Amino acid sequence: MGKLIFEKQVKGSNHFSLPKENLDVDIKIPEDLIRTEDLGLPELSEVEMVRHFTDLSHKAYGVDDGIYPLGSCTMKYNPKINEWAARLSGFSALHPYQAEETVQGALKLMYELDEMLCEICGMDNFSLQPAAGAHGELAGVMMIKAYHNKRQDFKRTKMMVPDSAHGTNPATANVVGYDVVEIKSNDLGLVDIDDLQAKMNDEIAGLMLTNPNTLGLFEEDIQEIADIVHTGGGLLYYDGANLNPIMGICRPGDMGFDVVHLNLHKTFSTPHGGGGPGSGAVGVKKHLAEFLPVPVVAYDEGTYCFNYDLPYSIGKVKSFYGNFGVFLKAYTYIKSLGRLGIIEAAQQAVLNANYLRHHLRENYYIPYDRLCKHEFVATAKYQMDANNVTTLDIAKRLIDYGYHPPTVYFPLIVKEAMMFEPVETESKARLDDLLAVLNTIAKEAEDNPELVKNAPYTATRRIDEVTAARKPIVKWEEG
Amino acid sequence: MKYTPNPPAVVEEMLRSMGLNSLDELFLDVPSPLKLNGNLDLPDGLGEMEVKNHLRSLANLNVNVDDYPCFLGAGAYDHYIPVAIDQLLLRSEFYTTYTPYQAEISQGILQAIFEYQTLICQLTGMEVANASLYDAASALAEATILAAVQTKRKKILLPDNIHPEYRQVLETYAISGTFEVVILPTKDGIISSNDLTSNLDNNVAALVIQQPNFYGVLEEVAEAEKLIHENKSLLIMAVDPISLGILKSPGELGADIVIGEGQALGNPLSFGGPYLGFFATKQKLLRKMPGRIVGQALDKDGNRAFVLTLQAREQHIRREKATSNICSNQALNALAATMYLTAVGPTGLKNVAIRSHQLAVYAQQELAKLGFKLKYKQAFFQEFVIEVTNPHLINERLLENGIIGGYPLTDGLMLAFTEKRSKAEIDKLVAVIGGN
């Protein structure tokens, strides 16, 4: 590991400059509010600053470096045109409080994106305000609560979540003030309809669901699920993390979902940026439109404007209008792909996932080994049983071969899970290379298990995460 | 334009290798009544040249702050961004990577976040910081939840001079029932000790102070800090990071939780996002802090390395017991902030703060010469409100003169100044406001 930026500083080497203009104005800040402590920021020359961050970039791995089969994260190629578009000064240099007549292009883009997302999802209205998937969930579940509250239906204090769900689902329900009722998965990895039926009652506000689910399986009984929830007076929430393999094929709105959030940074190709920024657009059917976060973009007599006049709105979940610089990339992507491109992307995502699953099964246990959508779950069962080689070991060994590992130990209902999502922008040749490496690792686990257990052998070896959490060091300190 | 690399012949080969004949067979699990069968009402795709022309034409419908000097602030500021930052952000290892779950292949991102956390601590004078949240408003909401959980009390005293959008977001998050917002009236634009005292009781979890407050005015924090801590409540401060180049740090002022809008640190205005909310606390709150945190660790060979740490706090472990559902950070924006603070350094940040302040003072003095009065008489940092009856008309006139004016209030106009502005631009601003 190289030095931290603080360990590279040279006093007096920073030459950042401001205009020389003489202002001849006194500082008018009360003395007792003026900083007395040293600021402590590092001092570097521009060239050393550039080299530092370039060096850090060499120690990171992105989609441009190779296949990134991280399940549930949809690590697809991020088209370069998106980055170009976001940097046009007509977009990047807009202040959020500019008068509406000076930002008509931005508002038009938002309005059209709302419309296109409605069409893709089969919903009636969208808000682009939430900043991330979990944030979209929060807005969505708040709308469900606002809906029941408006109907004076205060006894609905519980939210149903499948046991295969992403952790944000139950966490979101809790943050909005719901108790969580867990719904079991059946032997096929799908929602257990009997369990759902048994737990649905007039205290249930709704059900949060992904479809396809986190095992990559399409919930074939989705219409029946929707009927059960709706008949019981609940609402159906769609977690759009897994929309990619069904976009243009079928729509959450047609399945019966009342609210959806999308991860524009997954399905719609905006880059993940190392963990953010994302965009968690949230869409609703008509009966929930009055609860959307304000403002919504409206169009009236040739002019686009913000509408704040939603008396039952949940309010705002974020300053301003959302991550504009992110969702404009999603807009660019949909415009580029168009109708046929969207459908083709979904088809090829499913093709790639099934191809990988089909050819991986020889050496890895696949608990739900049947037609999947965008992803599937394999496990290290064979390797564990034979030589005590774990999923974590296999993941770390993949790094030695220059691959980013799949999502591991999720979903929680599968032991030693490895969740692969190969996405549509990977070629057959790339998938074949990954298969070859995974098969090699399976052989290594058999012939030389210690080799795999001690992986990786990269510049940074396996890290002791337990001590890091027990005695946390979360900043650099001198000396 | 499309980005799927497998040509039809390869697709067929892949299908055959699985014993399938068509792509349709991959969707047999979707009930037929749900299938769109191509019936999707979207326009045809565009080629790259057409997309470029289309996006450019939309961008050209907007007036932008690169072409028009901008005097709007109110939570988002047109500060200068050194060129090196965007050049570095375009390194695709940074922007096309995911949350660094697999630490050994993500040391670059993890180290950058560790450096970011350190820089935020240096800037705020706090002991620990997280890897960033969505923006200042949502960071404030998370801060209030933390304060309520920590103190086991519910009331959050929110002065009425706080950013109105922060207040709206807080009121939205209050649906959780974890906390309740009590609006604290202010006097002459700042918090008064009398009003604060009369609102204190043993159910007050925290007081929020925005410094400078929404109207650009500097609060006298010391008295409020004393009162709030005597009440065994927490002090949450929402601060402008650039102002910390010259202002006393919230750590020095005794804050327990510090949040702020990090946009000004190297991130473009971008019509309101993406930005980042920075979040720092005292050490004792570390294990309850929301959001991602990067920690230092050792690898198998005993070398320094970095990992996402304290994950037992987070939603994927705690699930329905988690008090925050955050599972990401604004990593790329935090990276920009890290680069920015490095690019300007301690002297640069101080000079940016001073020049912004001096330009504001200059503008205020010039406006005063024409008889425009300050709505709030106290000291300000880089932004102030003048009393006018027709702010919208003034803004329209400014726009006709190639200037993006201020933030209109019912009886005033709030003007913001950054180091990018010049005396000449301010002279023109003043002249137009003055009616010349």
Side-chain angles (χ1 to χ4, degrees):
Chain A
M1 175 49 61
K3 290 180 176 176
L4 290 166
I5 199 143
F6 311 99
E7 296 159 343
K8 291 180 178 174
Q9 70 163 328
V10 176
K11 297 274 182 207
S13 67
N14 185 311
H15 300 297
F16 175 77
S17 66
L18 288 171
K20 297 283 180 282
E21 186 179 41
N22 178 16
L23 295 175
D24 196 23
V25 171
D26 293 336
I27 293 175
K28 301 217 162 187
I29 294 173
E31 196 58 38
D32 63 342
L33 287 177
I34 299 269
R35 178 181 276 272
T36 52
E37 289 173 336
D38 188 7
L39 248 180
L41 306 178
E43 288 186 60
L44 271 82
S45 61
E46 181 172 316
V47 57
E48 288 307 322
M49 174 254 184
V50 168
R51 282 181 180 155
H52 177 76
F53 290 105
T54 303
D55 176 52
L56 292 186
S57 76
H58 294 156
K59 294 168 183 161
Y61 181 100
V63 173
D64 287 2
D65 293 299
I67 192 166
Y68 208 128
L70 204 59
S72 260
C73 299
T74 314
M75 298 301 288
K76 63 170 74 176
Y77 172 66
N78 310 125
K80 301 302 169 192
I81 184 88
N82 296 355
E83 298 305 308
W84 172 86
R87 284 167 169 80
L88 286 170
S89 54
F91 293 135
S92 67
L94 300 184
H95 190 287
Y97 287 138
Q98 279 179 228
E100 284 169 358
E101 68 264 26
T102 69
V103 290
Q104 284 296 300
L107 295 176
K108 183 170 196 278
L109 183 151
M110 291 171 72
Y111 188 82
E112 288 184 1
L113 180 56
D114 282 356
E115 284 190 319
M116 294 192 295
L117 295 177
C118 280
E119 174 62 18
I120 291 169
C121 294
M123 305 307 280
D124 295 315
N125 295 91
F126 254 89
S127 164
L128 302 167
Q129 194 174 108
H135 208 208
E137 273 180 47
L138 191 71
V141 175
M142 281 174 173
M143 283 191 274
I144 290 178
K145 192 165 191 178
Y147 168 86
H148 292 306
N149 283 352
K150 191 190 170 200
R151 295 159 57 95
Q152 308 285 315
D153 191 352
F154 298 114
K155 63 183 176 303
R156 295 188 186 269
T157 55
K158 295 172 183 168
M159 182 64 71
M160 299 194 292
V161 175
D163 58 6
S164 62
H166 192 267
T168 53
N169 291 171
T172 300
N174 179 48
V175 169
V176 180
Y178 284 117
D179 294 329
V180 171
V181 176
E182 198 166 86
I183 304 298
K184 279 188 231 146
S185 300
N186 64 21
D187 295 345
L188 295 170
L190 303 173
V191 169
D192 186 324
I193 299 284
D194 293 338
D195 194 42
L196 177 72
Q197 185 80 68
K199 287 173 179 164
M200 186 67 219
N201 60 40
D202 62 3
E203 292 182 354
I204 299 287
L207 168 68
M208 299 178 79
L209 204 63
T210 54
N211 193 17
N213 66 23
T214 59
L215 296 166
L217 305 174
F218 193 86
E219 297 281 357
E220 298 180 33
D221 300 324
I222 183 61
Q223 290 160 296
E224 193 183 345
I225 293 170
D227 278 348
I228 293 171
V229 175
H230 287 151
T231 306
L235 296 178
L236 205 56
Y237 182 89
Y238 184 78
D239 177 333
N242 301 343
L243 181 75
N244 198 46
I246 61 161
M247 60 174 180
I249 307 288
C250 57
R251 313 191 296 181
D254 299 338
M255 295 175 204
F257 286 96
D258 304 283
V259 197
V260 312
H261 90 258
L262 302 181
N263 301 70
L264 299 184
H265 45 284
K266 294 179 179 175
T267 312
F268 297 99
S269 87
T270 81
H272 287 76
S279 178
V282 59
V284 293
K285 292 271 183 64
K286 270 197 182 65
H287 53 279
L288 289 171
E290 61 184 339
F291 305 109
L292 281 168
V294 284
V296 292
V297 185
Y299 180 67
D300 189 28
E301 292 177 19
T303 309
Y304 296 90
C305 57
F306 284 121
N307 177 13
Y308 283 88
D309 187 23
L310 264 65
Y312 293 101
S313 165
I314 56 165
K316 288 180 76 69
V317 291
K318 186 186 179 310
S319 297
F320 314 119
Y321 327 113
N323 285 342
F324 179 81
V326 175
F327 56 66
L328 87 81
K329 296 177 189 178
Y331 175 88
T332 306
Y333 178 74
I334 299 172
K335 278 284 184 189
S336 298
L337 262 61
R339 183 174 69 90
L340 293 177
I342 290 281
I343 296 170
E344 191 178 325
Q347 287 172 330
Q348 304 234 354
V350 176
L351 175 69
N352 279 359
N354 280 285
Y355 180 82
L356 196 64
R357 178 183 59 84
H358 186 88
H359 295 283
L360 196 64
R361 59 161 76 110
E362 198 179 322
N363 289 310
Y364 292 89
Y365 177 60
I366 297 172
Y368 303 96
D369 193 11
R370 57 195 187 82
L371 180 60
C372 66
K373 295 274 82 61
H374 60 306
E375 67 190 3
F376 65 93
V377 175
T379 84
K381 181 181 183 340
Y382 301 153
Q383 292 74 20
M384 275 286 277
D385 290 351
N387 295 297
N388 211 25
V389 171
T390 66
T391 281
L392 190 68
D393 299 331
I394 293 166
K396 299 302 182 195
R397 187 62 180 147
L398 267 170
I399 295 174
D400 282 328
Y401 286 97
Y403 285 85
H404 196 285
T407 294
V408 293
Y409 299 102
F410 180 78
L412 306 178
I413 57 169
V414 177
K415 278 184 195 156
E416 296 292 320
M418 287 187 265
M419 188 197 239
F420 287 94
E421 181 180 8
V423 305
E424 73 277 11
T425 53
E426 297 303 335
S427 66
K428 174 176 176 293
R430 291 272 173 190
L431 298 179
D432 288 340
D433 288 348
L434 175 63
L435 281 166
V437 166
L438 283 163
N439 289 334
T440 301
I441 295 172
K443 193 159 183 342
E444 287 174 348
E446 209 171 303
D447 299 344
N448 187 1
E450 289 309 306
L451 176 74
V452 182
K453 284 183 193 178
N454 286 306
Y457 302 89
T458 42
T460 295
R461 301 287 311 277
R462 202 177 298 193
I463 298 170
D464 178 3
E465 301 192 10
V466 175
T467 312
R470 198 171 296 146
K471 296 177 184 166
I473 302 171
V474 299
K475 66 173 179 183
W476 173 82
E477 278 176 286
E478 197 151 16
Chain B
M1 190 68 199
K2 56 187 185 181
Y3 304 100
T4 36
N6 288 324
V10 175
V11 168
E12 281 199 19
E13 189 190 339
M14 292 170 77
L15 285 168
R16 269 202 313 276
S17 79
M18 294 184 271
L20 299 175
N21 296 310
S22 74
L23 288 168
D24 290 342
E25 289 176 53
L26 294 169
F27 294 93
L28 290 174
D29 49 1
V30 178
S32 355
L34 293 178
K35 279 192 180 144
L36 290 171
N37 298 315
N39 192 17
L40 185 70
D41 186 16
L42 284 183
D44 289 335
L46 301 174
E48 185 168 300
M49 279 186 271
E50 298 159 296
V51 172
K52 272 185 101 162
N53 288 337
H54 176 68
L55 267 296
R56 200 184 272 122
S57 72
L58 283 179
N60 289 343
L61 293 174
N62 303 321
V63 168
N64 74 75
V65 306
D66 284 352
D67 295 339
Y68 284 47
C70 172
F71 295 94
L72 260 175
Y77 298 91
D78 181 29
H79 286 288
Y80 182 71
I81 303 173
V83 173
I85 293 176
D86 193 51
Q87 294 283 312
L88 287 165
L89 290 176
L90 275 169
R91 293 200 65 90
S92 68
E93 299 91 335
F94 288 139
Y95 78 80
T96 73
T97 190
Y98 197 67
T99 303
Y101 291 125
Q102 294 291 339
E104 296 85 353
I105 199 171
S106 314
Q107 283 299 296
I109 291 285
L110 288 160
Q111 181 177 330
I113 296 174
F114 186 81
E115 291 174 349
Y116 163 82
Q117 290 170 184
T118 307
L119 290 165
I120 293 301
C121 288
Q122 293 181 335
L123 198 59
T124 59
M126 300 303 285
E127 288 163 342
V128 291
N130 75 9
S132 74
L133 299 171
Y134 306 133
D135 66 358
S138 58
L140 182 58
E142 296 281 349
T144 59
I145 293 170
L146 171 57
V149 170
Q150 173 71 14
T151 59
K152 300 189 175 69
R153 299 174 175 189
K154 280 213 161 172
K155 279 190 203 167
I156 302 295
L157 297 183
L158 196 69
D160 61 12
N161 63 16
I162 199 119
H163 195 300
E165 298 214 22
Y166 298 2
R167 173 172 164 179
Q168 284 175 292
V169 171
L170 221 56
E171 284 168 346
T172 303
Y173 274 70
I175 196 173
S176 67
T178 318
F179 64 89
E180 59 188 71
V181 175
V182 177
I183 300 298
L184 184 68
T186 56
K187 199 160 178 287
D188 302 327
I190 57 169
I191 297 167
S192 86
S193 299
N194 284 344
D195 286 325
L196 176 57
T197 307
S198 63
N199 277 280
L200 286 176
D201 60 45
N202 62 10
N203 199 21
V204 171
L207 164 72
V208 180
I209 299 180
Q210 188 178 1
Q211 176 81 322
N213 68 35
F214 179 66
Y215 302 108
V217 172
L218 294 168
E219 298 277 353
E220 289 292 343
V221 182
E223 181 67 16
E225 185 270 336
K226 197 166 145 269
L227 290 169
I228 202 73
H229 282 144
E230 280 171 5
N231 197 55
K232 299 199 170 10
S233 314
L234 300 184
L235 176 60
I236 301 174
M237 286 187 72
V239 296
D240 174 318
I242 298 290
S243 76
L244 296 180
I246 180 164
L247 294 185
K248 202 168 263 185
S249 79
E252 208 178 336
L253 292 167
D256 301 285
I257 306 173
V258 178
I259 64 102
E261 180 50 74
Q263 173 268 330
L265 305 173
N267 288 278
L269 287 166
S270 192
F271 204 43
Y275 297 169
L276 69 148
F278 56 84
F279 194 108
T281 69
K282 290 190 168 159
Q283 178 79 34
K284 66 175 183 203
L285 296 175
L286 175 64
R287 286 179 190 273
K288 287 182 184 155
M289 189 155 64
R292 291 272 142 95
I293 299 171
V294 170
Q296 184 177 309
L298 295 177
D299 76 358
K300 214 179 172 81
D301 290 345
N303 292 318
R304 179 170 67 184
F306 301 96
V307 285
L308 290 174
T309 195
L310 300 173
Q311 299 197 54
R313 300 163 299 122
E314 293 191 54
Q315 44 72 33
H316 62 286
I317 310 281
R318 289 182 67 80
R319 294 178 76 85
E320 71 272 13
K321 294 191 186 68
T323 53
S324 166
N325 76 342
I326 300 258
C327 70
S328 61
N329 68 333
Q330 298 289 100
L332 203 65
N333 304 96
L335 182 63
T338 306
M339 290 171 180
Y340 177 83
L341 289 170
T342 307
V344 299
T347 312
L349 189 72
K350 184 176 177 186
N351 288 340
V352 168
I354 289 175
R355 180 173 163 85
S356 302
H357 171 70
Q358 285 179 317
L359 285 168
V361 172
Y362 173 74
Q364 190 268 318
Q365 289 170 346
E366 294 301 303
L367 284 163
K369 286 178 193 166
L370 299 182
F372 289 97
K373 286 187 185 143
L374 280 176
K375 184 161 164 42
Y376 306 108
K377 314 298 176 205
Q378 295 84 359
F380 53 83
F381 169 55
Q382 64 171 156
E383 195 164 18
F384 57 78
V385 181
I386 52 168
E387 289 180 352
V388 294
T389 50
N390 52 354
H392 291 283
L393 270 178
I394 293 174
N395 273 347
E396 279 170 30
R397 218 160 56 223
L398 287 167
L399 191 61
E400 284 162 17
N401 284 275
I403 292 173
I404 296 173
Y407 182 88
L409 297 161
T410 41
D411 50 0
L413 185 65
M414 183 158 74
L415 297 161
F417 301 82
T418 71
E419 78 285 4
K420 276 174 79 173
R421 303 283 73 87
S422 66
K423 261 185 169 173
E425 287 171 352
I426 291 171
D427 290 343
K428 187 172 170 189
L429 170 87
V430 173
V432 177
I433 291 177
N436 298 311

